Amino acid sequence: MSQRATVDFLLHDWLQAERLCQRERHTEHSRETFDAVLDLSEKMARETFAPANRVIDTEEPTFDGTQVHLPAVTPKALQTYIDAGLMAASKDADLGGMQLPTVVEMASMSFFYKASMSLAYYPMLTRGNANTILAHGTPRQIEVFAKPGFEGRTFGTMCLSEPQAGSSLSDIATRAVPDVHGDGSGTHWPQDPLGPRYRLTGNKMWISGGEHNMGENIVHLVLAKIPGEDGKTIPGVKGISLFIVPRKLVKADGSITATRNDVALAGLNHKCGNRGTVNTLLNFGEGRHAVNGQAGAVGYLVGAAGEGLKCMFTLMNEARIAVGLSATMLGYAGYDASLAYATQRPQGRKAGAGGKDHTAPQIPIIEHTDVKRMLMLQKVVAEGGLALGLLCAQLVDDDYTGTPEQREQATTLLELLTPIAKSWPSEWALEANSQAIQILGGYGYTRDFPVEQYWRDNRLNMIHEGTHGIQALDLLGRKVVMNQGHALQVFAARVQQTIAQADAVADLAPLGQSLAQALAQVQTATAQAWATGKPEEALANATPYLQAFGHLVLGWIWLELALAAHAAQAQGHWCNSPLGPGFLKGKRAAAEYFFDYELPRIPAWLVVVSQRNMTCAYAQPDWF
Ligand SMILES: Cc1cc2nc3c(=O)[nH]c(=O)nc-3n(C[C@H](O)[C@H](O)[C@H](O)COP(=O)(O)OP(=O)(O)OC[C@H]3O[C@@H](n4cnc5c(N)ncnc54)[C@H](O)[C@@H]3O)c2cc1C
């Protein structure tokens, strides 16, 4: 039941996160400082974010033609988060940060995602935006645009999508021309201290956090194409560059002026869920806020021209792991709510002997096997998804502060696991939310209980940050085949290590054997999908492949967690916990549930992959 206990189990019994304190970057830290941050996060999320979650759903953002209005709880809750210094938790001390390991920062975020994903998206986007400038910007851009983000003084966005270009970013039409005279004319950019200065024109759709009055400014990170001498843009992703476009113009010394940049809100999107994060259609350069008498939003190039998508991937990879974790935590919220309900709702009597005695009191529904099945599904998704998110965060730490060998392995595994970290929780935590509604029966279908909102909020996660289908193409089309399948080999070696450990523990050995079989099935299907070398055949069933691969990864994680629970029990950990022996037994039972109920789905998904089945590929539009 307690998320905090599971976070502690994952961080310490499984990931041994305290070992990170031996690395130079984290020597100031210890288990005590980790605990203090988690205590604070848990409390703040419970007391400030959670009570606001329903309000921000019912009081959608509005636009009166001039200004966006958000419920008062939104800036209030975010300010508590900012005041606690959590925006820059993992950043360098000279950026105002605490130099916490990323894995602890993500563990801290998990409480906020669970309490209110919509509120937590503001810091998530702002941090990702500032991290991208930190990775690719000039020292002045970092000082002027990233640092205020880490301080929580400004907010950040990512502006990729356009009305006509969502999944296909190569088709964006936003243009950036050099702003040589400061009035949008000329052919060469001036040496502006804030970077090569351009004027941007175009429409950006679905921009989260795109317009509001919180903070001192909004820093948009915008993808746009720079036309050549002939006025034409280069087709494809090679022509895409990245720009910083502040909502209000900023001077070279970082002071924010009162002058609006030429970025206008065209309207708000009215969403199924996730209503607390304002979502916008922005018009860049339409002339509503002309700068120096000229239409065109002032933007500063980040990184090299033509490298925009590559730079933006810093943000996108971070956001993909974060989106996966947020999906998981909505799954966790539904799990908690339906578990609490199931322990209190009396309904029916036991199956079997005595069950027909209608004078006997009814039993709480948690005693019905089918309800336990629905709780088990939610448990494996919530706790397994959290484990996957924290594992990825620790790989980010290894990538940053590990030995050269750890770094190499972390980079490779992160590339492979990112599509899974994003898509698996998006799909299965949504299903978990559906099961939470089911446990509450009719009550779950009403707005008097929170579970329907969790489902609506979570429905977003299979769509944004690369749809499910796009993640599948990335996994099977790129990640498992790049460098002659190197990433898949590295992953397989890690899985084999876990299987070898399980072999040495009598009652876990059978799970290890099932996992070995699943790994072999995925490896064989990968080879068979690509046997003809034709992408249209290999990728015809990329989504079932993604599902199978995701379940393989989670099978591996659940075996790891079963091993960690076994070791914790042997060492007497948790024996004094108020959660009792059930805590570790529950981990073990969840692993068994996953292996018995979920892992067997893998071969069924892989049949069409291995066949290179073309039923869907050959279907003609007029057959539907
Ligand atoms: C609430 C919300 C918040 C968002 N926030 C942001 C944001 O802050 N910044 C931002 O830039 N964007 C944001 N987005 C946009 C989001 O990333 C896009 O919606 C997403 O990339 C999909 O684009 P699309 O909606 O145009 O759908 P489309 O790209 O039109 O896709 C429609 C369907 O077709 C499928 N499809 C498309 N192309 C292919 C293909 N090649 N192969 C197989 N299937 C394909 C997709 O998988 C999908 O199922 C947000 C979206 C929403 C809904």
Side-chain angles (χ1 to χ4, degrees), residues 158 160-161 166-167 206-208 271 279 460 463 465 467 473:
M158 52 192 290
L160 296 80
S161 309
S167 302
W206 303 117
I207 308 308
S208 295
K271 295 175 285 175
N279 193 275
L460 167 63
I463 298 171
E465 268 316 316
T467 62
L473 294 176

